[in-house]
Amino acid sequence: MACISFAFKALCFCLFFIVVASRSTVRPKVFNVQRHGAKPDGKTDNANAFTSIWSRACKRISGSSKIYVPKGTFYLGGVEFVGPCKNPIEFIIDGTLLAPANPSDIKQDTWINFRYINNLSISGSGTLDGQGKQSWPHNDCHTNPNCPKLAMTMGFAFVNNSNIKDITSLNSKMGHFNFFSVHHFNITGVTITAPGDSPNTDGIKMGSCSNIQISDTNIGTGDDCIAILSGTTNLNISNVNCGPGHGISVGSLGKSKDEKDVKDLIVRDVIFNGTSDGIRIKTWESSASKILVSNFVYENIQMIDVGKPINIDQKYCPHPPCEHERKGESHVQIQNLKLKNIYGTSKNKVAVNLQCSKIFPCKNVELIDINIKQNGVKDGSSTSVCENVDGFARGKMFPRIV
């Protein structure tokens, strides 16, 4: 009797193990968009087919889903992929997603938008072609603060524990990738390309985000390679090539009353090539909010013919006059800033510009081993501007910080 009882228990255990094992090895369901109605002819709008496939993949309960875009050109109007989803989703793009050339044909702020999703993975050898060339002449944001908003290429809002890898974004109408309230997200091996004179084509733009990693990525645009806005914390950038473009910019900050602190930024092993700026922090000259910018590390940075290699600008005012409730000086406090082993060439004579606020001077600024020479000058002589800064410089220092 004891033997029968033992055998029964062993059988139950084996059945339980088989069930658990079978669940853990369930293969993802593959949704090939072409087999589900999408046409790779470059002219048929596949928005309805893509959203229908997403709906089925997102609702699937029995395992993860994989949406596959094969080689070919899939014309796509504005689409939104909305969660929450039952299980992780992998979006593999090996073909080209082609945006409408006419900017008015996209009736939303972002051409391809992901919202309220956890465990999303986007990868592949494919291209997001924003067809921005026709839109750029309509963009007068450099002179008009009320300029019409064009669609960004791909956006993520309230997306967590996710990643994007190896995708190419080409010729966005406005920015390429936009992140809002995104947490624990990795960006790896991405290529972002637009001409240097294409207006407002930021590479990666983020606000109210945390725990983001950007690595092994090439960015060349007509605006910031990476723009870091209000409320962003714990951002790690490494092995990024930037150029053309406006560098890696924090800000602009201080314009609105409800802005949040920007903290804990690490930028390492980055090359700026032919950009207008390299390391850049910009806060409004007459700021409406008092926030903190703190705990930044920039290390092992190469500058190649950069307009303003190191540029802290707390007198930012793109469209004068800049007047808010608090007038005159920036109320953004910059502190705990470390710049180490920054080297290369400057396009202009002023290689290091540190213009901090009189009311809230920059605190605890460390400059270690800075070696930036002016390009095209025989002795490479360059200069620095240093206003309202509390900190120290050590190691090799060229130009001298005065």
Side-chain angles (χ1 to χ4, degrees):
M1 200 68 179
C3 291
I4 294 173
S5 176
F6 176 79
F8 179 75
K9 290 179 180 178
L11 177 62
C12 290
F13 175 79
C14 289
L15 289 172
F16 174 78
F17 179 80
I18 291 170
V19 170
V20 171
S22 64
R23 285 180 179 175
S24 65
T25 58
V26 172
R27 291 185 178 181
K29 169 72 174 177
V30 178
F31 296 86
N32 185 317
V33 296
Q34 192 170 347
R35 294 176 186 172
H36 287 77
K39 297 180 179 180
D41 58 11
K43 57 184 180 180
T44 301
D45 190 350
N46 292 293
N48 288 337
F50 271 63
T51 52
S52 175
I53 292 165
W54 173 267
S55 180
R56 279 180 279 172
C58 186
K59 292 176 181 177
R60 187 168 180 265
I61 298 174
S62 56
S64 63
S65 299
K66 182 183 292 186
I67 299 172
Y68 178 60
V69 181
K71 292 188 180 299
T73 300
F74 295 84
Y75 180 88
L76 196 62
V79 290
E80 284 201 316
F81 302 118
V82 183
C85 297
K86 301 295 184 181
N87 278 294
I89 293 187
E90 188 176 0
F91 213 123
I92 301 175
I93 304 170
D94 282 339
T96 296
L97 301 184
L98 188 67
N102 187 340
S104 62
D105 288 342
I106 301 177
K107 310 297 184 182
Q108 54 195 49
D109 293 339
T110 306
W111 170 35
I112 302 170
N113 206 16
F114 294 90
R115 297 191 295 126
Y116 301 104
I117 304 164
N118 291 329
N119 301 307
L120 170 69
S121 177
I122 300 174
S123 64
S125 59
T127 298
L128 312 173
D129 187 346
Q131 293 210 91
K133 188 174 181 179
Q134 186 172 320
S135 302
W136 297 331
H138 300 284
N139 189 324
D140 60 350
C141 295
H142 61 291
T143 57
N144 177 14
N146 300 311
C147 59
K149 298 296 183 184
L150 301 173
M152 301 189 78
T153 289
M154 183 173 280
F156 302 87
F158 310 101
V159 175
N160 302 315
N161 301 308
S162 300
N163 65 83
I164 184 167
K165 182 180 180 181
D166 297 337
I167 294 295
T168 295
S169 179
L170 175 67
N171 293 339
S172 62
K173 288 176 169 55
M174 207 158 179
H176 290 259
F177 293 101
N178 190 56
F179 296 82
F180 176 75
S181 195
V182 170
H183 308 285
H184 299 281
F185 197 108
N186 288 350
I187 303 163
T188 309
V190 171
T191 300
I192 299 171
T193 303
D197 60 354
S198 57
N200 297 108
T201 51
D202 297 89
I204 298 171
K205 196 170 190 174
M206 64 184 68
S208 299
C209 296
S210 69
N211 297 292
I212 310 293
Q213 295 205 25
I214 304 171
S215 62
D216 303 312
T217 289
N218 297 306
I219 307 172
T221 72
D223 209 313
D224 296 332
C225 290
I226 301 173
I228 303 156
L229 304 180
S230 165
T232 298
T233 62
N234 291 302
L235 171 60
N236 194 319
I237 301 170
S238 62
N239 295 303
V240 169
N241 294 320
C242 170
H246 297 177
I248 295 178
S249 294
V250 176
S252 59
L253 298 173
K255 184 178 182 180
S256 303
K257 291 182 180 180
D258 57 351
E259 292 185 15
K260 306 296 183 184
D261 296 345
V262 179
K263 300 185 293 185
D264 303 316
L265 167 67
I266 297 174
V267 180
R268 283 195 175 102
D269 304 313
V270 169
I271 298 173
F272 295 100
N273 192 344
T275 53
S276 65
D277 296 81
I279 297 166
R280 188 183 192 192
I281 302 173
K282 49 183 177 177
T283 75
W284 284 76
E285 183 176 21
S286 301
S287 44
S289 59
K290 181 181 177 182
I291 60 173
L292 189 65
V293 173
S294 64
N295 300 333
F296 284 14
V297 175
Y298 298 90
E299 189 172 9
N300 302 333
I301 311 293
Q302 183 179 6
M303 307 288 180
I304 303 173
D305 200 27
V306 174
K308 298 177 181 177
I310 299 174
N311 185 21
I312 297 178
D313 180 10
Q314 293 208 261
K315 298 181 180 295
Y316 182 71
C317 179
H319 307 293
C322 299
E323 294 184 357
H324 297 280
E325 289 185 1
R326 298 183 178 93
K327 299 180 181 181
E329 289 289 333
S330 176
H331 286 65
V332 177
Q333 175 70 71
I334 298 173
Q335 65 183 38
N336 300 333
L337 175 65
K338 181 178 180 179
L339 299 98
K340 181 179 180 181
N341 193 29
I342 317 295
Y343 62 96
T345 57
S346 171
K347 190 174 183 179
N348 299 307
K349 189 172 184 63
V350 178
V352 179
N353 180 56
L354 308 176
Q355 286 187 295
C356 296
S357 169
K358 288 182 181 179
I359 301 174
F360 295 95
C362 296
K363 296 180 180 178
N364 193 26
V365 176
E366 300 180 48
L367 299 173
I368 305 168
D369 294 328
I370 309 297
N371 186 15
I372 306 173
K373 297 182 178 180
Q374 185 182 2
N375 196 18
V377 177
K378 189 173 183 180
D379 62 357
S381 60
S382 57
T383 61
S384 67
V385 174
C386 187
E387 298 177 0
N388 309 309
V389 181
D390 176 24
F392 65 87
R394 60 185 171 88
K396 184 177 180 64
M397 203 58 53
F398 193 95
R400 288 181 61 245
I401 308 301
V402 292

